[in-house]
Amino acid sequence: MGRIRLIWVLVLNFWLYSCSSNDDTLDQLEQETGFLTKGVYPLEDMGDLDLLVKEIGNSQYVLIGEASHGTSEFYTWRANLTQKLIQEKGFTLIAVEGDWPAAYSLNQYVQGQGSGTTQQAVQSFRRWPTWMWANQEVATFSEWLKQHNQSLPQNQKVGFYGMDVYSLWESLEEVENYMATADPTIAQLAREAQICLAPYNQDEQRYAQATLQGTSCASQLQKLLEAVQSFRARQPAQHEAAFNAEQNALVAVNAERYYVQMVRSSTGSWNVRDRHMQETVNRLVAQRGNGAKIIVWAHNTHVGDARYTDMAASGSVNIGQLLREEHASQGVYLVGFGSYQGQVVASYNWGEATRVMNVPAAKTNSWEDILHRHPQDNMLLLLRELQDVPQAMERRGHRAIGVTYNPAAESGNYVPTILPRRYDAFLFIDQTTALHPL
């Protein structure tokens, strides 16, 4: 009997310890998530975005992010919000993290100037990773945008443009093709820049490495840009074709600067790229005129203000920070995205085959983990409401998935972030699915 009594005492003690341990865990969870008592709203259908549109108010610049380049829900909700901003707030410009020449081709299509199908139009994006823009989600939005533009006068049609910096050779070709008729002297300058770059066979890495030995085509590109700028100055202010040529010449100059920095400083190349994005946004707004409103689509790492992440310590800036600093009086509103678990389209290494990968549960105590524990599955956070809550102002990991990704080793995919400072609003989708490449 003594042995049986001892066993029962041990079982009872273990049960009591387990209950106490569970209570401690629950208390800890409550402590970690209980601060989300305000600023949290449901996100189930398009009507739930009304609150966000109201808070955006009269902001002239709205930047909408994504936590990966391969998640369907990020693209779909971003498109939904964009539609509402176009219809209800009068936005007429969209600038995306994509090449200018490819996006300009899609822009012509959505403005009724191109032929073929919507899927063919979005497949103008041929640079790897093609799935970023050549996907069904973008095609669906593009078809909506084309229909929206159909009955509008030209100066009110919504434009779709690229603001990235990679298209050195493609942009030079665009300048040469246009100037062959418009100004053959400038077309010759474009050919001279192409001749300078010809030995590298459109291989950015080869050119970048060659610059370490003193090679440079920068002067030819700068000379071309100045000539195109002079040409555009002689055209009517709203001359779209001349603006397109000038932007391609600018892309070529900044692309060369980017590739030169690429083999010297990751921070330097990053900053060249995001400052080019800022310059492109400013140029688009100036070209459209009359206080035009613009929506930017890019990864969270570009959209979310870099000053409230560990990016600031390395000297990195991004377009969200730059536009906030430059245009605070006109209104700059930053929207981020995140998810807890699901699937994503990505590749293990740069340039390799596209894969659908499983995204594991978010790291403990990350922002995604904290939001997952909230009773609301999908949610809209209006982060200005949380800026007086101490726990919400703590720096926590925030997941960022790029075009290359390894789910088995994602510890480096978390950016330390003060969420209510980095963004103005945050859309959290607990379980996500993969994008649909064409």
Side-chain angles (χ1 to χ4, degrees):
M1 290 293 293
R3 179 176 294 179
I4 294 173
R5 185 178 296 112
L6 176 61
I7 291 172
W8 274 108
V9 169
L10 290 173
V11 169
L12 179 61
N13 284 338
F14 177 78
W15 181 78
L16 290 171
Y17 172 80
S18 297
C19 290
S20 173
S21 178
N22 287 338
D23 287 344
D24 290 344
T25 301
L26 290 172
D27 288 345
Q28 183 180 2
L29 290 176
E30 175 65 25
Q31 185 178 3
E32 290 177 351
T33 64
F35 63 85
L36 294 175
T37 57
K38 60 179 180 176
V40 180
Y41 302 90
L43 185 66
E44 302 298 337
D45 56 46
M46 206 161 167
D48 291 331
L49 294 174
D50 290 344
L51 197 61
L52 177 54
V53 172
K54 181 179 179 181
E55 185 172 270
I56 287 170
N58 294 321
S59 297
Q60 187 176 356
Y61 303 82
V62 175
L63 284 67
I64 313 176
E66 59 191 11
S68 86
H69 290 310
T71 300
S72 178
E73 286 79 4
F74 300 157
Y75 280 68
T76 301
W77 279 105
R78 182 167 60 186
N80 289 344
L81 177 56
T82 299
Q83 287 181 28
K84 292 180 76 68
L85 292 174
I86 290 169
Q87 293 175 313
E88 300 174 25
K89 294 293 184 178
F91 282 78
T92 57
L93 294 166
I94 301 168
V96 306
E97 186 186 341
D99 288 346
W100 177 272
Y104 197 77
S105 179
L106 179 56
N107 172 65
Q108 290 178 302
Y109 176 80
V110 299
Q111 294 203 32
Q113 300 165 16
S115 58
T117 67
T118 307
Q119 291 198 350
Q120 289 171 334
V122 299
Q123 286 176 313
S124 60
F125 291 93
R126 298 187 181 94
R127 181 188 301 278
W128 193 94
T130 55
W131 76 81
M132 271 183 63
W133 303 112
N135 60 65
Q136 186 56 53
E137 287 79 355
V138 170
T140 299
F141 173 77
S142 299
E143 183 58 33
W144 176 88
L145 189 55
K146 183 181 181 183
Q147 296 301 319
H148 171 82
N149 281 336
Q150 205 163 34
S151 60
L152 296 175
Q154 188 59 41
N155 64 348
Q156 294 178 26
K157 292 182 189 293
V158 179
F160 189 99
Y161 302 94
M163 59 177 185
D164 224 327
V165 75
Y166 295 128
S167 59
L168 172 54
W169 278 272
E170 296 89 342
S171 287
L172 277 177
E173 184 177 350
E174 291 291 326
V175 175
E176 183 193 359
N177 290 342
Y178 173 68
M179 289 298 175
T181 301
D183 190 324
T185 303
I186 299 178
Q188 179 58 31
L189 293 177
R191 283 190 289 273
E192 290 172 7
Q194 289 170 315
I195 290 168
C196 180
L197 291 163
Y200 311 104
N201 197 29
Q202 299 195 16
D203 186 330
E204 298 90 351
Q205 287 279 356
R206 283 181 61 191
Y207 174 74
Q209 290 293 334
T211 65
L212 294 172
Q213 310 305 318
T215 295
S216 176
C217 296
S219 61
Q220 289 90 333
L221 294 167
Q222 184 63 36
K223 186 176 180 181
L224 172 64
L225 174 59
E226 291 170 1
V228 177
Q229 288 172 331
S230 177
F231 171 86
R232 186 190 169 214
R234 299 191 298 271
Q235 310 307 314
Q238 302 302 312
H239 195 286
E240 182 75 10
F243 175 77
N244 179 41
E246 184 184 48
Q247 182 65 25
N248 274 307
L250 177 66
V251 169
V253 167
N254 286 337
E256 193 274 344
R257 291 173 180 167
Y258 172 83
Y259 293 126
V260 166
Q261 284 296 317
M262 184 175 65
V263 292
R264 291 168 170 81
S265 164
S266 58
T267 297
S269 59
W270 175 277
N271 288 348
V272 167
R273 188 177 173 213
D274 274 62
R275 290 189 186 281
H276 174 78
M277 292 181 181
Q278 174 199 22
E279 186 175 7
T280 300
V281 165
N282 287 337
R283 283 172 50 78
L284 285 167
V285 170
Q287 169 70 4
R288 183 58 68 101
N290 297 320
K293 294 183 175 183
I294 189 165
I295 298 164
V296 171
W297 289 4
H299 197 279
N300 285 343
T301 48
H302 297 289
V303 165
D305 194 324
R307 292 173 295 181
Y308 304 103
T309 73
D310 62 346
M311 295 169 67
S314 68
S316 298
V317 298
N318 64 11
I319 187 173
Q321 170 190 344
L322 295 170
L323 291 181
R324 267 184 172 177
E325 291 173 337
E326 184 179 10
H327 298 298
S329 61
Q330 288 83 31
V332 179
Y333 198 96
L334 311 183
V335 181
F337 273 89
S339 69
Y340 177 72
Q341 194 172 28
Q343 291 184 318
V344 68
V345 172
S347 294
Y348 284 117
N349 296 293
W350 189 268
E352 289 187 355
T354 301
R355 302 172 185 269
V356 174
M357 302 182 185
N358 290 322
V359 178
K363 190 168 68 174
T364 302
N365 205 37
S366 64
W367 279 109
E368 288 76 9
D369 177 49
I370 295 293
L371 296 172
H372 169 69
R373 297 183 206 166
H374 193 276
Q376 180 72 42
D377 285 341
N378 299 336
M379 64 188 83
L380 163 66
L381 279 77
L382 298 183
L383 293 169
R384 294 173 182 177
E385 297 183 31
L386 290 170
Q387 289 183 0
D388 62 349
V389 178
Q391 298 99 315
M393 299 300 287
E394 293 177 6
R395 193 176 290 246
R396 304 174 189 269
H398 170 23
R399 182 156 56 193
I401 296 174
V403 293
T404 61
Y405 178 56
N406 183 357
E410 68 156 16
S411 60
N413 287 78
Y414 288 82
V415 180
T417 294
I418 302 173
L419 205 71
R421 296 291 188 198
R422 187 176 180 185
Y423 310 105
D424 298 298
F426 193 78
L427 277 65
F428 179 75
I429 296 91
D430 191 68
Q431 303 289 322
T432 50
T433 57
L435 197 67
H436 300 89
L438 295 177

